[in-house]
Amino acid sequence: MLRPLIAGNWKMNGRRADGIALASELARRTRRAGGAELTRDLLICPPATLLVAVAQAIADSPVSLGAQDCHSAASGAHTGDVGAPMLADVGCRYVIVGHSERRANHGESDQLVNAKAAAAHAASLVAIVCIGETEAERNDGTTLAVVGRQFAASLPASAAPDNTVIAYEPVWAIGSGRVPTEMEIAAVHDHLRTLARSRAPGGERLRLLYGGSVKASNAAGILAIANVNGALVGGASLNADDFWAIACSCP
Ligand code: PEP
């Protein structure tokens, strides 16, 4: 079985005091849990303003640090953006690219997501590449075609199981409290596994996360689905008890 990854996306939330408190509490729990509990990887992705403070709060703990986006260039005249080498420099190991909120709110295409993932790899970061269908696409019956197209177009040639994670996040499930049935999740993840296997050798080692209204109450069922290798968690990652309960729900 692949080692599950439980990733928290804090989105545009948190001031220094609450970010440090949340990160410190998760670090404390992982340290206390010791070796026996560390059967999954725990990752938190705070907003850029909190990366340095959170890096200090989780230092010497098994909790990893990630960012929520990066530019496709390493540096340069890109006001307001952050390059992947800058994220690595402050302690990030991961970066989310192509989240549906960025695709929708910033017009990010598969091609741009592909370039951002390549930039992440060049900076030795693991890219968490987000894909997922809209509600209209789900209703049209085109879910598998949509995620298949996004999978193929969003992954750069450099993508490999050690530097890439896929997060399947149905757009209509994010922040809505609505979740696909376990059969619907399984159908997409099985499809993604087939695509991963045919894309390159080692495709069975590519971690496939589910994201979209994962809560402590539904995590165990979702994480037990074949080919679900973890979760990308938004709202519930802002509460230490909820996020920890999700992490402890891994089979
Ligand atoms: C997300 O934004 O990646 C997400 C999954 O959010 P939520 O868990 O709040 O649906």
Side-chain angles (χ1 to χ4, degrees), residues 10 14-22 49-50 52-54 56:
W10 293 5
R15 306 289 172 95
R16 271 173 56 83
D18 16 276
I20 292 171
L22 176 53
T49 50
L50 296 183
V52 171
V54 168
Q56 286 166 359

Side-chain angles (χ1 to χ4, degrees), residues 8-10 42-48 50-51 54 58 63-69 87 91-96 125-126 128:
N9 174 12
W10 293 5
L42 212 60
L43 165 68
I44 48 181
C45 302
L50 296 183
L51 287 172
V54 168
I58 62 174
V63 182
S64 294
L65 182 68
Q68 298 174 15
D69 181 44
L87 300 174
C92 289
R93 287 189 52 210
Y94 293 80
V95 60
I96 299 169
L125 295 176
V126 177
I128 301 180

Side-chain angles (χ1 to χ4, degrees), residues 9 11 99 101 169 173-176 211-215 232-236:
N9 174 12
K11 308 196 187 192
H99 190 282
E101 288 156 10
E169 300 205 301
I174 293 177
S176 67
S213 295
V214 176
K215 310 277 177 224
L232 181 53
V233 184

